[in-house]
């Protein structure tokens, strides 16, 4: 007897059995579920919950056993801003800077501001 | 402690009228289509029998084409994601993490779950157990755990919130509201985390665009036929797809057993909602819609107890399917309008495909082959169909098992995976879909746990 017809028949029977098994299991599940159905009660807008939390803080809690080194909490070092960055930050803070022979200065800081450029 | 227990306001709409309208529209469209076929058929060389024959062949070719595109699409993207993956840590980035453990009647497993959390390779975290009105001794067991427990590197604070029963979403919301951390880890009460799970997942939050990180869920209770099949499904079906989605930072479901969230992302998305039965899928879609990106960390592993009986499996998949359909319906605006958020639209259509289109196609294809075998005697068609799919599944299973360094013995389950397991799941999905569209009431359906998890 050839192999393919035999395998085909096996797969055909297996597929039909799977269909029947799945549908049967589903019906059984629904029947069992329907027995445990309960009516739902109205839901309040707020509910009270009980909180159980340890009273002592971590610092007060003496560690039993070996010493441990706690890992740092996000202390990623940031590089110091360069001159260009400082200038761009300054420019963002005040878009209207005044150019003098000493470089850019804030007009509000310049008490002698008269609108005339200063020259040395 | 007072908790907000309000539900999102649902518009009061006349469901009966809506269904009648839908039936009339679809009925009219079907009649128009039939009229067009009857009118145009004499103008062609086709007879009615040959039309049916060609239509079935076309449907099968389209089915096979979509199947192959889906398989290779997932495989290619997952491969690209694995190539991109790195173990590189972010120096000095160890934010404070709150681990929220919602429990409902988990007296057998809650202590083991918490013990696994104390063995984490991370020091800056706390554990918040939320007892959702358990009726067994869960509260008593959890109360024993409250305090500063010895962790791997530091003493870990364990708190307990005992609230009346309100569902997993509300339990998680209670824990998130109480937490003062920037990052929260939400898990199931019956799951166990691998020691490196938090350390490896947390580093992705150094990127300010990442709103959440999905972990890798694995089946713990292996060794039985059903649980081994599910172990293969988690590796080949779920994790592989998640890895592919992660390549474009669009993971569609952050799994319940392990999901890390930036607290601001949850706040902007509007917390977990109880109006669907897949609160994790719903929150994921809301986070994506808020503009956050979601990453998948394959080495953040959570071990979970899979249902080992067919009825329990049905119960789980029934809830998953209806929950996903509810989430899709809730976000249908995003589904239909890609201009709001294209990523969300893409993800929602892939969910429609997985939940609706694929199971229907699979069932119809199998029914066709059964009919073809009985009516026309083409028994060998079913064999070749099965052989083709089994070969495809074997190759994918081998690749997935190799990538995840999993048990090689699971690969052989690929032979019966599609013809038996997927068919059973798809029939359950189809039934659940019908029930969802008919609006039949459903309950949460708590799975029975036997407490196999041991640290």
């Amino acid at each position: 007897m050839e192999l393919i017809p035999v395998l085909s028949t096996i797969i055909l029977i297996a597929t039909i059995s799977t269909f029947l098994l799945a549908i049967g299991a589903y019906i059984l599940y629904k029947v069992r579920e329907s027995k445990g159905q309960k009516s739902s009660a109205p839901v309040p807008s707020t509910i009270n919950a009980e909180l159980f939390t340890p009273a002592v803080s971590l610092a007060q809690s003496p560690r039993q056993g070996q010493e441990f080194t706690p890992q740092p909490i996000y202390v990623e070092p940031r590089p110091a801003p360069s001159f260009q960055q400082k200038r761009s930050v300054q420019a963002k803070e005040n878009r209207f800077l005044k150019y003098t022979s000493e470089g850019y200065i804030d007009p509000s800081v310049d008490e002698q501001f008269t609108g005339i450029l200063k020259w040395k | 402690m007072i908790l907000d227990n309000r539900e999102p306001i649902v518009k009061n709409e006349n469901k009966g009228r809506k269904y009648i309208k839908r039936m009339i529209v679809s009925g009219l469209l079907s009649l128009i289509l039939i009229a067009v076929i009857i009118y145009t058929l004499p103008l062609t060389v086709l007879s009615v029998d040959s039309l049916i024959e060609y239509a079935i062949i076309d449907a099968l070719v389209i089915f096979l084409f979509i199947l192959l595109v889906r398989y290779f699409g997932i495989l290619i993207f997952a491969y690209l994601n694995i190539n991109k993956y790195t173990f590189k840590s972010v120096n000095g980035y160890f934010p404070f993490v709150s681990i929220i453990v919602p429990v409902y009647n988990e007296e057998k497993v809650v202590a083991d779950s918490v013990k696994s959390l104390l063995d984490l390779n991370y020091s800056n975290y706390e554990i918040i157990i939320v007892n959702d009105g358990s009726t067994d001794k869960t509260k008593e067991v959890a109360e024993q755990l409250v305090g500063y427990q010895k962790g791997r590197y530091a003493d870990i604070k364990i708190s307990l919130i005992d609230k009346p029963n309100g569902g997993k979403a509300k339990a998680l919301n209670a824990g998130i509201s109480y937490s003062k951390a920037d990052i929260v880890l939400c898990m199931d009460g019956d799951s166990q985390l691998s020691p490196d799970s938090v350390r490896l997942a947390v580093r992705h939050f150094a990127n300010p665009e990442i709103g959440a990180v999905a972990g890798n869920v694995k089946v713990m209770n292996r060794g039985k036929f059903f649980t081994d099949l599910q172990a293969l499904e988690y590796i080949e079906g779920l994790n592989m797809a998640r890895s592919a989605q992660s390549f474009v930072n669009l993971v569609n479901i952050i799994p319940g057993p392990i999901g890390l969230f930036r607290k601001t992302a949850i706040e902007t998305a509007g917390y977990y909602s109880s109006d669907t039965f897949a609160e994790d899928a719903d929150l994921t879609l809301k986070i994506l819609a808020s503009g956050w990106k979601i990453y998948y960390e394959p080495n953040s592993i959570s071990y979970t107890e899979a249902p080992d009986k067919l009825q329990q499996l049905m119960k789980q998949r029934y809830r998953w399917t209806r929950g996903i359909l509810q989430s899709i319906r809730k976000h249908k605006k995003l589904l239909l309008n890609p201009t709001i958020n294209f990523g969300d639209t893409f993800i929602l259509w892939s969910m429609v495909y997985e939940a609706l289109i694929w199971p229907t196609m699979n069932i119809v294809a199998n029914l066709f082959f059964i009919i073809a075998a009985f009516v026309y005697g083409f028994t060998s068609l079913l064999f070749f169909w099965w052989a083709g799919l089994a070969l495809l599944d074997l190759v994918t299973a081998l690749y997935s098992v190799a990538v995840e360094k999993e048990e090689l013995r699971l690969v052989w389950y690929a032979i019966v995976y599609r013809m038996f397991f997927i068919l059973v799941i798809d029939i359950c999905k189809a039934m659940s879909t019908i029930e969802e569209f008919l609006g039949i009431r459903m309950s949460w359906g708590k799975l029975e746990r036997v407490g196999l998890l041991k640290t």
Side-chain angles (χ1 to χ4, degrees):
Chain A
M1 201 177 174
E2 283 184 52
L3 188 67
I4 289 176
V6 175
L7 287 172
S8 303
T9 313
I10 292 169
I11 289 164
L12 179 66
I13 293 164
T15 311
I16 295 165
S17 310
T18 305
F19 262 100
L20 295 175
L21 179 78
I23 294 164
Y26 186 80
I27 292 165
L28 196 67
Y29 156 65
K30 291 307 293 179
V31 169
R32 285 186 184 172
E33 282 296 296
S34 62
K35 283 179 185 169
Q37 290 281 355
K38 288 173 189 172
S39 61
S40 58
V43 183
S45 61
T46 56
I47 50 164
N48 283 314
E50 217 176 336
L51 176 68
F52 300 86
T53 189
V56 285
S57 69
L58 188 59
Q60 290 167 318
S61 156
R63 172 68 198 242
Q64 300 293 313
Q66 64 182 49
E67 286 293 311
F68 70 97
T69 316
Q71 292 174 9
I73 305 166
Y74 195 32
V75 285
E76 191 177 19
R78 290 179 181 227
S82 64
F83 175 72
Q84 294 291 336
Q85 283 172 324
K86 274 182 189 170
R87 261 185 67 176
S88 65
V89 169
Q90 200 179 16
K92 273 180 190 171
E93 283 170 359
N94 191 345
R95 297 178 75 181
F96 303 102
L97 295 177
K98 187 184 169 191
Y99 181 74
T100 68
S101 52
E102 284 88 29
Y104 285 99
I105 60 161
D106 192 341
S108 61
V109 180
D110 186 13
E111 291 173 0
Q112 300 298 316
F113 179 64
T114 54
I116 306 159
L117 290 176
K118 288 191 285 184
W119 299 96
K120 268 193 177 174
Chain B
M1 184 180 182
I2 295 169
L3 299 172
D4 193 343
N5 196 39
R6 285 171 297 179
E7 291 287 348
I9 298 158
V10 182
K11 274 191 279 179
N12 190 17
E13 52 189 11
N14 191 340
K15 276 192 178 174
R17 204 174 161 182
K18 204 173 101 182
Y19 286 133
I20 290 167
K21 197 179 162 187
R22 195 179 292 169
M23 280 161 73
I24 291 168
V25 171
S26 55
L28 276 173
L29 285 172
S30 307
L31 283 173
I32 291 166
L33 189 66
I34 291 165
V36 168
I37 291 168
I38 291 168
Y39 180 73
T40 55
L41 199 63
L43 305 173
T44 67
V45 291
L46 291 168
S47 63
V48 175
D49 282 351
S50 56
L51 177 76
I52 293 166
E53 207 173 294
Y54 278 115
I56 290 167
I57 293 166
D58 280 352
L60 284 172
V61 169
I62 293 167
F63 174 71
L64 199 62
F65 177 75
I66 294 171
L67 179 83
L68 289 173
V69 167
R70 177 189 173 272
Y71 251 101
F72 287 107
I74 288 174
L75 271 172
I76 291 164
F77 275 103
Y79 174 75
L80 291 172
N81 190 52
I82 287 296
N83 273 358
K84 198 179 77 171
Y85 181 80
T86 169
F87 282 95
K88 195 180 159 192
S89 61
V90 180
N91 284 336
Y93 186 67
F94 299 106
F96 185 57
V97 179
S98 288
I99 301 177
I100 322 270
V101 191
V103 285
Y104 176 71
N105 290 351
E106 312 272 12
E107 63 173 6
K108 289 175 187 167
V109 290
V110 65
D112 288 330
S113 285
V114 172
K115 270 178 201 163
S116 84
L117 296 176
L118 291 171
D119 194 35
L120 292 178
N121 190 8
Y122 199 75
S123 66
N124 199 18
Y125 69 100
E126 65 169 344
I127 300 166
I128 302 167
I129 306 167
V130 187
N131 179 33
D132 190 29
S134 300
T135 51
D136 64 355
K137 288 180 180 169
T138 305
K139 188 191 165 190
E140 287 76 15
V141 176
E143 263 180 1
Q144 299 294 315
L145 300 165
V146 171
Y148 285 93
Q149 302 280 356
K150 188 181 167 187
R152 190 185 272 207
Y153 297 114
D155 286 338
I156 306 301
K157 183 185 170 187
I158 302 178
S159 308
L160 168 69
I161 299 170
D162 183 44
K163 65 180 278 297
N165 183 254
K168 191 184 166 190
K170 283 177 184 167
L172 285 167
N173 286 344
I176 296 163
S177 309
Y178 173 67
S179 160
K180 297 284 180 287
D182 290 336
I183 311 290
V184 288
L185 187 154
C186 298
M187 62 180 285
D188 287 345
D190 56 347
S191 305
Q192 284 190 12
L193 304 188
S194 64
D196 285 331
S197 53
V198 175
R199 188 176 61 85
L200 289 170
V202 149
R203 65 199 170 116
H204 300 295
F205 288 101
N207 177 357
E209 289 185 334
I210 296 286
V213 174
N216 182 346
V217 184
K218 286 183 188 283
V219 172
M220 181 75 157
N221 53 333
R222 299 181 190 187
K224 288 182 182 173
F225 181 66
F226 270 118
T227 54
D228 278 349
L229 274 169
Q230 285 173 83
L232 180 67
E233 187 203 14
Y234 276 63
I235 301 162
E236 187 188 332
L238 306 178
N239 293 337
M240 180 75 87
R242 216 165 271 148
S243 182
Q245 290 163 357
S246 183
F247 183 68
V248 283
N249 290 329
L250 285 171
V251 176
N252 67 350
I253 299 174
I254 298 168
I258 181 167
L260 287 95
F261 302 88
R262 199 183 288 278
K263 202 179 168 189
T264 45
I266 294 186
E267 283 166 353
T268 50
Y271 287 83
Y272 281 98
S273 305
S274 306
D275 54 350
T276 71
F277 276 80
E279 70 295 320
D280 38 11
D282 178 51
L283 181 68
T284 313
L285 290 171
K286 286 195 288 189
I287 288 174
L288 285 173
S290 307
W292 295 94
K293 287 180 176 171
I294 300 174
Y295 194 81
Y296 165 65
E297 172 52 61
N299 287 301
S300 275
I301 301 165
S302 176
Y303 296 96
T304 193
E305 203 178 304
D308 60 350
K309 290 184 185 123
L310 188 57
Q311 200 218 335
Q312 293 289 314
L313 182 69
M314 287 274 171
K315 192 188 266 189
Q316 186 193 49
R317 299 310 162 103
Y318 176 79
R319 184 174 65 78
W320 284 10
T321 308
R322 286 196 66 172
I324 287 169
L325 290 172
Q326 287 160 359
S327 300
I328 294 168
R329 288 174 92 172
K330 193 177 163 183
H331 300 274
K332 64 182 173 194
K333 205 175 168 183
L334 291 162
L335 179 83
L336 302 170
N337 188 353
T339 59
I340 301 170
N341 186 322
F342 182 76
D344 252 21
T345 308
F346 176 75
I347 282 296
L348 277 162
W349 275 109
S350 70
M351 284 166 83
V352 169
Y353 173 75
E354 296 287 344
L356 278 174
I357 302 167
W358 168 258
T360 313
M361 285 165 78
N362 194 26
I363 293 167
V364 169
N366 278 289
L367 279 174
F368 165 73
F369 285 121
I370 292 169
I371 292 164
F374 278 108
V375 178
Y376 302 104
F378 297 150
T379 321
S380 55
L381 264 181
L382 186 59
F383 168 75
F384 288 118
W385 180 256
W386 166 82
L389 294 183
L391 191 69
L392 202 63
D393 279 326
L394 266 173
V395 173
T396 316
L398 197 64
Y399 173 77
S400 322
V401 163
V403 167
E404 296 223 3
K405 296 179 182 68
E406 270 285 351
E407 294 174 277
L408 194 63
R409 66 179 185 88
L410 292 176
V411 172
W412 300 112
Y413 283 94
I415 296 168
V416 289
Y417 179 69
R418 193 149 304 272
M419 272 297 166
F420 174 71
F421 184 73
I422 293 295
L423 190 56
V424 169
I425 299 296
D426 284 347
I427 288 169
C428 180
K429 278 183 181 177
M431 298 288 206
S432 316
T433 305
I434 294 165
E435 286 199 16
E436 180 58 30
F437 281 97
L438 291 174
I440 292 170
R441 237 184 95 219
M442 69 179 279
S443 61
W444 180 264
K446 166 90 180 150
L447 298 177
E448 285 162 22
R449 302 295 182 193
V450 289
L452 289 168
L453 305 178
K454 292 284 169 209
T455 43

